[in-house]
Amino acid sequence: MVMDVNLKQKYALCEAAKKCLENTSVEKLTVKQITEAAGVSRQTFYRMFLDKYDLINWYFDILMSKSFDRMGEGKTVEEGLTLKFRYLKEERVFFNAAFQSDAQNNLQDHDFEMIYAFYSNWMEKKSGTGPVDETALLLEMYCRASIYMTVNWVIGGMKDSPEWLAKLLVHALPGRLEETFRKLNLLG
């Protein structure tokens, strides 16, 4: 039962942060603003999160797990990316503000770490070994480029559809990485 209360409080804090981010940047956002908007104490906030960036990254993880966990259910990379971009679009105000921050513990770095770990773990699960040597470097380059494109898409107003961006990122896979993803049935 405690977990349910904590989860509800975490979501309440995220909703409060989203509301605050409608009128302020992440850099100017304070924990005090978030807690006042959520109607909880700072102590409650710090029991759940290290700082405002930890809150942003936690919320991002929740939304992204909904899209990338689907790949474990037989969905392709393109389908997982499409879901990711749809979630980002649904929460555009929040993620536009969050992706603009380049402070320590920022969402861009967190997104990279999350997606790189996801692909690495998926490769290890499917093949018995994670990416090594050139494949590891290609995966890092691909993940960094895809985060760069994601951030530009979000900050640029999300003019193109989530489906278009997902398809573009799949087409941008380096040859050797594409070959690896095909062998692991990640491309359909």
Side-chain angles (χ1 to χ4, degrees):
M1 205 55 143
V2 171
M3 185 60 128
D4 292 334
V5 171
N6 286 341
L7 196 56
K8 285 180 185 178
Q9 286 180 328
K10 282 184 171 188
Y11 276 112
L13 287 164
C14 288
E15 290 301 318
K18 287 180 354 186
K19 188 77 173 156
C20 293
L21 287 171
E22 291 175 3
N23 301 312
T24 191
S25 68
V26 171
E27 282 77 16
K28 292 183 180 178
L29 180 65
T30 65
V31 170
K32 182 179 179 185
Q33 288 174 301
I34 297 169
T35 57
E36 286 178 355
V40 300
S41 69
R42 288 172 56 92
Q43 181 181 6
T44 298
F45 179 92
Y46 285 114
R47 261 197 325 264
M48 302 197 191
F49 300 108
L50 299 172
D51 56 24
K52 61 188 174 186
Y53 300 104
D54 191 34
L55 175 146
I56 290 167
N57 292 342
W58 178 83
Y59 189 58
F60 181 80
D61 289 353
I62 295 297
L63 294 178
M64 294 311 100
S65 69
K66 290 179 185 178
S67 59
F68 285 101
D69 286 351
R70 300 288 299 276
M71 279 192 250
E73 300 169 0
K75 299 293 182 191
T76 65
V77 168
E78 186 174 331
E79 291 166 323
L81 288 170
T82 298
L83 286 171
K84 173 184 178 178
F85 300 138
R86 284 180 185 161
Y87 292 133
L88 291 175
K89 196 165 188 167
E90 287 172 12
E91 302 283 349
R92 70 174 43 108
V93 171
F94 181 79
F95 288 113
N96 184 34
F99 274 126
Q100 289 191 44
S101 174
D102 63 358
Q104 183 177 358
N105 197 22
N106 67 66
L107 184 56
Q108 292 178 43
D109 291 342
H110 183 74
D111 190 7
F112 167 76
E113 291 165 9
M114 186 178 179
I115 198 163
Y116 184 86
F118 173 81
Y119 287 134
S120 294
N121 293 337
W122 194 251
M123 291 168 122
E124 186 170 351
K125 180 180 174 185
K126 291 283 217 166
S127 69
T129 182
V132 294
D133 301 328
E134 186 179 320
T135 304
L137 181 59
L138 288 171
L139 181 60
E140 180 180 350
M141 289 170 37
Y142 173 73
C143 290
R144 289 201 185 279
S146 71
I147 301 309
Y148 176 81
M149 294 305 298
T150 299
V151 170
N152 284 344
W153 178 72
V154 170
I155 292 172
M158 303 178 179
K159 294 176 182 109
D160 298 307
S161 72
E163 295 77 10
W164 178 86
L165 185 57
K167 186 178 294 296
L168 182 69
L169 288 177
V170 169
H171 288 303
L173 278 165
R176 177 171 271 170
L177 200 54
E178 180 181 1
E179 183 181 310
T180 301
F181 278 25
R182 281 203 191 288
K183 286 179 186 173
L184 300 175
N185 292 323
L186 290 173
L187 297 178

